[in-house]
Amino acid sequence: MLKLQDAEIFYGQMEVIKKVSLEVKQGELVSVIGANGAGKSTLIKAMMGLVKIRHGKLFFEDQDITDFPAWKRAELGIGYVPEGRRIFGDLTVEENLKMGAYKIKDKAVIKRNLEKAYEMFPKLSERRNQLARTMSGGEQQILAISRALILEPRLLLIDEVSMGLMPIMVNYCFSLIKELNQQGITVLVVEQNANKVLKIADRGYLIETGQIMVEGTAESLRNNDVVLKAYLG
């Protein structure tokens, strides 16, 4: 479904992603793990079109989307949950969700998708008129995920879902990601919490200093000496 080939990404003159290749097959839940600063967020931003790939190619369902802007990728069916949630704090919960539906012209479809979000997350329904910035971090993360789902993506890119959350909400978010995948959404999640994400993923990649160091099934990564020593303790 998604294929990255020999990607090189620079910030100015500094190369931060060095000939990285990875793929996500339809229906998979794939993780990219690594320490803070390893290049995980840069990688996922590049897949969404928020960071330019200087060399290399990105394909979505066999279509070359390397130079597509982010909004065009969203139209194709790629959803994005950014690091730090990035909800609109001065808008209500419902206004945030409607921002996720910006490309849907049919008001009946928007209404249907809003109701689906409220059905899946009753807490959002209760707070639909509440300003998003007054919600807890965990509730804001649920809102960010719901906003991404409004456009009914076939592929969901998730950046550091556990960041800044209480342990109970971390567990909830990972179980939610697994549930969404089981419902048919293909997922790529980059995550520092290797222990949690490798329990739900099918496959994974370990990135260090902008390079893929290890790849394989989630089980093989959990048993890999490098991963065990550096990330699983």
Side-chain angles (χ1 to χ4, degrees), residues 18-47:
K18 306 164 186 175
K19 282 195 172 296
V20 165
S21 297
L22 61 79
E23 64 180 29
V24 183
K25 296 184 176 69
Q26 185 168 348
E28 280 192 314
L29 199 171
V30 176
S31 65
V32 178
I33 62 171
N36 191 31
K40 302 187 305 298
S41 289
T42 298
L43 201 57
I44 205 164
K45 285 176 181 175
M47 293 175 187

Side-chain angles (χ1 to χ4, degrees), residues 3 18 20 45 47 55 74-75 79 94 100 140 153 165 169 177 220 225 232:
K3 189 171 187 176
K18 306 164 186 175
V20 165
K45 285 176 181 175
M47 293 175 187
H55 303 294
E75 279 189 348
E94 184 150 307
Q140 289 180 14
L165 299 186
M169 283 308 300
I177 291 168
S220 71
D225 287 343
L232 302 180

